[in-house]
């Protein structure tokens, strides 16, 4: 990433739809620096940076996390321990009372008489020896009954409880040594920039630096250390601008509002709290749950009905976190939502694309900013007919891609650009006039290969297996008056008042939102959603610099998942990118793709209210585990002894039940981690079962959590 003023100039002056260039980003209102925990309140930046962040299992919120102690299988329950201690004390006190009052005779004093001479009788030495002997007896009783009642364990737990209650009133911990204190910027001092480190430390301690500033400048120093020639330029920027150095091209240093808790030092966003439930692993019980690029890089899927919290408790925190990371120069985010649904306000984004809205300042490049006709044809075919791939010749969209390539390749050669939507529809319809004009433009002898492409297309017109008519019908959904000024191809001039935007700009830390017109153009919105997903996959993998984490958030992926999309999801992990998908139900995905979808994503979220058949799919994916089961059998006791029969009869009259003997059988069996019935019926509103996978392949078992807490 470029640092200093040069980086800002490059981001602001980049071209619109060209590959690898960021669109012009107008300056935005800048939020004043504030503590990272705002708007909920919290510690200062210095205290936040010094907070412990111990290593933890994947998905655990690490800021201030206190790991639970390992479970002790021999630990006695508190109530049983207390009752045992009291009972043994009373028995010991009763025994001593009997001895002291002589109810047991004087036999217990014979060691005293044996060990003392007869001349001590009725003398002061005998009195002293007697009391010493009493002390030894009391000590012996204390040792015996204390061991039986576990008095030492009672003492340890009581003192630990008192120390825990006194902890909130203790004084704050002293700051770590300067070489280990993150507030003093030791990494900057190691690079030899002492003055820059002093300036940054002063900014942090004075409250003029936010967590976004800290993360952004830290990222810039990491890049500069790998390219030492940039250290002087970065040092100059820090000395001149302080916490405002290396600002995002938009000029923003924070979001105007936050709805979630973020830890930009670890790039985590908190999404909920794991329940203190026996079904959860010990390490997760009561711990906060968080997502970060190390988990989102495996892609994520959330399934739950409307109102289950997918958007407000999952999508919004994730998008908000990625927007903050983009301001810190760490990520690029593309959020696709329905028009009118704004999980994150407009001011959090650099680019907002609203196809079909005259208020939209940006246009979406239909071909993804590529110059390769074959790539453009494959992306467009996936968007147009990817959801119908199972019914196409060959079982996928490759035949449709070939048909499109036979037209847009010659068109680009003839006109220097790809066709617009009306032009593409016309040639796909097989209009003789349109094909004739295209042939005339390719009259040059050097264009014979393109003429052969046109000949091949015309030979397929009207024949079985022809996909031209189907493609024309799908393109017609985009050739509507509402979209007349949208989807202008690169080089063809932007639509009226719209600046072209291409996902090829993902090499820059951009914040992009695309609002789809689902209410009036539902089918066109699904085509555009598949188009954005296909373009994102291609652009993320084609980036030359993949240091930025790129993430696509697709809220409501209805009819967006296709065989080609699943192949793209599996490749994104190697390109430092990921996708977050939400679905109301797995019924929104074709039946053959439901299992592969759950296998392609690494992070899965099941919200309360899922259907039993959706729950069954997740139960199968999460598999089984070995557990110990206890089978208890009660057998009625029958006795022929008169006294025993009388006692059993009295007990039956008192309790109303027969006297039984209990036998316990312990077995180790395999059971589902979460059954379909549990997922469908036991989750309360606001709860979800989540599982994580890291980009390195480490998996976690499913965890019951309350989202948003």
């Amino acid at each position: 990433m470029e640092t200093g003023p040069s980086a800002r100039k490059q981001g602001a002056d980049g071209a619109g739809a060209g590959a690898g260039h960021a669109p012009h980003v107008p300056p935005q209102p800048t939020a004043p620096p504030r503590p990272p925990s705002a708007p909920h309140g919290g510690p200062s930046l210095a205290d936040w940076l010094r907070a412990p962040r111990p290593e933890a299992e994947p998905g655990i919120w690490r800021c201030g996390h206190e790991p639970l102690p390992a479970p002790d299988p021999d630990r006695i329950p508190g109530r049983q321990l207390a009752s045992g201690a009291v009972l043994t004390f009373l028995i010991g006190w009763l025994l001593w009372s009997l001895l002291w009052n002589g109810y047991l005779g004087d036999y217990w004093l014979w060691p005293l008489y044996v060990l003392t001479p007869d001349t001590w009788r009725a003398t002061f030495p005998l009195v002293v020896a007697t009391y010493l002997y009493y002390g030894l007896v009391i000590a012996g009783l204390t040792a015996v009954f204390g061991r039986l009642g576990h008095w030492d364990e009672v003492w340890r737990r009581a003192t630990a409880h008192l120390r825990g209650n006194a902890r909130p009133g203790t004084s704050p911990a002293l700051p770590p040594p300067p070489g280990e204190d993150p507030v003093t910027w030791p990494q900057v001092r190691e690079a030899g920039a002492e003055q820059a480190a002093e300036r940054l430390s002063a900014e942090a301690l004075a409250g003029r630096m936010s967590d976004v500033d800290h993360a952004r400048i830290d990222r810039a120093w990491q890049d500069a250390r790998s390219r030492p020639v940039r250290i002087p330029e970065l040092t100059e920027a820090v000395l001149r601008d302080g916490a405002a150095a290396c600002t995002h091209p938009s000029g923003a240093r924070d979001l105007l509002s936050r709805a979630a808790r973020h830890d930009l030092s670890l790039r985590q966003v908190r999404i909920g709290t794991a329940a203190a439930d026996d079904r959860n692993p010990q390490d997760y019980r009561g711990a906060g749950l968080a997502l970060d690029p190390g988990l989102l890089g495996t892609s994520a899927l959330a399934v739950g009905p409307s109102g289950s919290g997918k958007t407000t408790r999952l999508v919004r925190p994730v998008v908000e976190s990625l927007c903050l990371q983009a301001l810190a120069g760490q990520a690029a985010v593309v959020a696709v939502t329905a028009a009118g649904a704004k999980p994150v306000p407009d001011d959090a984004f650099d680019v907002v694309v609203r196809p079909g809205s005259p208020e939209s300042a940006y246009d979406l490049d239909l071909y993804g900013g590529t110059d390769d006709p074959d790539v453009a044809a494959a992306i467009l075919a996936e968007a147009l007919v990817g959801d119908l791939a199972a019914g196409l010749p060959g079982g996928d969209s490759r035949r449709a891609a070939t048909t499109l390539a036979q037209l847009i390749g010659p068109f680009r050669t003839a006109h220097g650009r790809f066709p617009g939507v009306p032009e593409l529809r016309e040639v796909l319809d097989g209009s003789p006039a349109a094909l004739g004009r295209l042939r005339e433009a390719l009259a040059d002898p050097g264009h014979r290969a393109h003429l052969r492409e046109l000949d091949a297309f015309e030979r397929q017109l009207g024949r079985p297996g022809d996909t031209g008519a189907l493609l024309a019908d799908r393109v017609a959904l985009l050739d509507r008056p509402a979209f007349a000024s949208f989807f202008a191809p690169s080089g063809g001039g932007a639509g009226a008042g719209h600046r072209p935007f291409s996902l090829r700009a993902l090499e820059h830390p951009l914040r992009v939102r695309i609002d789809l017109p689902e209410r009036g153009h539902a089918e066109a919105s699904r085509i555009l959603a598949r188009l954005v997903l296909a373009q994102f996959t291609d652009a993320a993998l084609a980036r030359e610099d993949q240091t930025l984490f790129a993430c696509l958030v697709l809220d409501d992926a209805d009819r967006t998942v296709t065989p080609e999309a699943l192949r793209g999801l599996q490749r994104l992990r190697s390109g430092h990118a990921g996708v977050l998908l939400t679905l109301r139900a797995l019924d929104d995905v074709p039946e053959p793709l439901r299992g592969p979808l759950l296998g392609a994503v690494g992070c899965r979220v099941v919200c309360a209210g899922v259907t039993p058949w959706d729950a069954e799919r997740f139960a199968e994916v999460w598999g089984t585990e070995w557990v110990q089961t206890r089978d208890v059998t009660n057998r009625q006791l029958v006795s022929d002894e008169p006294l025993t029969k009388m006692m059993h009869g009295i007990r039956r009259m008192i309790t109303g039940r027969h006297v039984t003997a209990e036998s316990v059988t312990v077995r180790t069996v395999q059971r589902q981690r979460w059954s379909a019935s549990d997922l469908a019926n036991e989750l309360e509103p606001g709860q979800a079962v989540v599982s994580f996978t890291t980009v390195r392949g480490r998996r976690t078992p499913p965890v019951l959590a309350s989202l948003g807490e």
Side-chain angles (χ1 to χ4, degrees), residues 319-382:
V319 173
E320 192 175 270
S321 174
L322 293 169
C323 288
L324 291 172
Q325 293 178 43
L327 292 179
Q330 300 171 337
V333 57
V334 179
V336 181
T337 60
K342 298 181 178 180
V344 179
D346 289 353
D347 53 62
F349 297 93
D350 306 312
V351 175
V352 179
V353 184
R354 297 186 177 94
S357 173
E359 300 177 357
S360 178
Y362 286 91
D363 188 10
L364 183 64
D365 190 340
L366 195 64
Y367 301 97
T370 183
D371 296 328
D372 189 334
D374 293 325
V375 174
I379 293 175
L380 189 55
E382 170 67 13

Side-chain angles (χ1 to χ4, degrees), residues 310-311 315 335-338 341 343 518 553-557 580-583:
K310 302 188 304 298
T311 299
V315 171
V336 181
T337 60
E518 290 187 356
V553 180
L554 191 54
D555 195 12
D556 190 4
L580 169 59
L581 305 170
T582 67
L583 290 169

Side-chain angles (χ1 to χ4, degrees), residues 164-177:
N165 290 338
R167 186 176 302 171
T170 58
S171 59
L174 296 175

Side-chain angles (χ1 to χ4, degrees), residues 75-383:
R75 181 181 174 88
I76 303 174
R79 182 176 299 179
Q80 179 181 344
L81 183 65
S83 60
V86 172
L87 182 60
T88 54
F89 174 79
L90 293 177
I91 295 175
W93 181 260
L94 176 62
L95 180 58
W96 170 248
S97 299
L98 294 175
L99 294 174
W100 175 259
N101 293 307
Y103 292 108
L104 299 181
D106 294 336
Y107 299 104
W108 64 286
L109 295 174
W110 69 266
L112 175 64
Y113 298 142
V114 171
L115 296 176
T116 57
D118 294 338
T119 58
W120 284 15
R121 299 297 180 264
T123 61
F124 180 75
L126 180 61
V127 175
V128 174
T130 301
Y131 279 101
L132 289 176
Y133 181 74
Y134 290 163
L136 292 175
V137 172
I138 293 175
L141 292 175
T142 302
V144 172
F145 288 100
R147 184 175 181 84
L148 292 175
H150 302 282
W151 294 358
D152 56 341
E153 180 67 16
V154 173
W155 175 256
R156 282 196 298 268
R157 294 194 191 182
T159 53
H161 180 70
L162 292 176
R163 285 196 302 267
N165 290 338
R167 186 176 302 171
T170 58
S171 59
L174 296 175
E180 303 175 3
D181 190 354
V183 181
T184 62
W185 295 85
Q187 69 275 30
V188 179
R189 299 180 188 275
E190 292 176 1
E194 291 285 343
Q195 293 182 345
E198 292 294 338
R199 175 68 187 275
L200 293 175
S201 299
E203 296 277 287
L205 295 175
R208 294 188 294 269
M209 178 181 291
S210 69
D211 55 339
V212 179
D213 295 331
H214 185 277
R216 184 185 67 251
I217 298 174
D218 183 65
R219 168 62 187 261
W221 275 103
Q222 291 177 8
D223 292 343
R225 291 179 64 182
S226 62
R227 303 174 186 178
V229 294
R230 296 186 177 179
I231 292 182
E233 180 185 359
L234 179 56
T235 302
E236 178 185 355
V238 169
L239 293 176
R240 181 182 63 252
D241 301 326
C246 313
T247 310
H248 187 266
S250 65
R253 294 171 55 189
D254 206 340
L255 301 181
L256 294 181
S257 62
R258 300 189 189 184
R261 296 176 59 185
H262 304 274
D263 186 0
L264 290 180
S265 64
L266 298 176
R267 303 173 68 180
Q268 286 189 322
V269 56
R270 183 159 178 156
I271 61 172
T273 302
D277 190 275
D278 291 340
R279 288 176 292 189
N280 283 347
Q282 175 72 15
D283 293 335
Y284 286 88
R285 295 176 189 173
L289 296 182
L291 287 173
D292 58 68
L295 300 176
L296 291 173
T298 64
S299 295
L301 172 67
V303 178
S306 299
S308 59
K310 302 188 304 298
T311 299
T312 57
R313 301 179 182 180
L314 183 64
V315 171
R316 176 165 185 169
V318 169
V319 173
E320 192 175 270
S321 174
L322 293 169
C323 288
L324 291 172
Q325 293 178 43
L327 292 179
Q330 300 171 337
V333 57
V334 179
V336 181
T337 60
K342 298 181 178 180
V344 179
D346 289 353
D347 53 62
F349 297 93
D350 306 312
V351 175
V352 179
V353 184
R354 297 186 177 94
S357 173
E359 300 177 357
S360 178
Y362 286 91
D363 188 10
L364 183 64
D365 190 340
L366 195 64
Y367 301 97
T370 183
D371 296 328
D372 189 334
D374 293 325
V375 174
I379 293 175
L380 189 55
E382 170 67 13

Side-chain angles (χ1 to χ4, degrees), residues 472-511:
D473 292 341
R474 286 302 182 92
V475 171
L477 296 172
L478 302 179
D479 189 19
R480 307 296 299 166
F483 303 128
S485 59
F486 287 86
F487 313 127
S490 301
H498 305 311
R499 290 192 291 270
F501 171 74
S502 165
L503 291 182
R504 294 281 168 169
L506 287 178
E507 292 189 356
H508 302 271
L510 281 177
R511 304 168 294 165

Side-chain angles (χ1 to χ4, degrees), residues 602-681:
C603 302
R604 308 176 186 93
V605 180
V606 179
C607 298
V610 293
T611 60
W613 38 93
D614 283 355
E616 182 66 31
R617 291 277 188 178
F618 282 94
E620 292 177 0
V621 170
W622 281 325
T624 60
E625 62 179 345
W626 289 102
V627 296
Q628 281 192 343
T629 62
R630 295 168 57 90
D631 296 331
V632 180
T633 304
N634 289 321
R635 176 175 56 86
Q636 181 179 350
L637 294 179
V638 179
S639 176
D640 296 330
E641 296 290 336
L643 181 60
T644 305
K645 291 181 65 175
M646 182 184 66
M647 296 299 297
H648 286 182
I650 295 174
R651 184 173 176 181
R652 185 169 64 250
M653 292 176 60
I654 295 174
T655 63
R657 293 178 295 179
H658 291 281
V659 180
T660 59
E662 184 179 277
S663 62
V664 179
T665 303
V666 179
R667 296 183 299 172
T668 302
V669 298
Q670 273 192 324
R671 285 188 178 175
Q672 287 185 320
R673 298 178 185 271
W674 275 84
S675 68
S677 177
D678 292 342
L679 292 173
N681 302 312

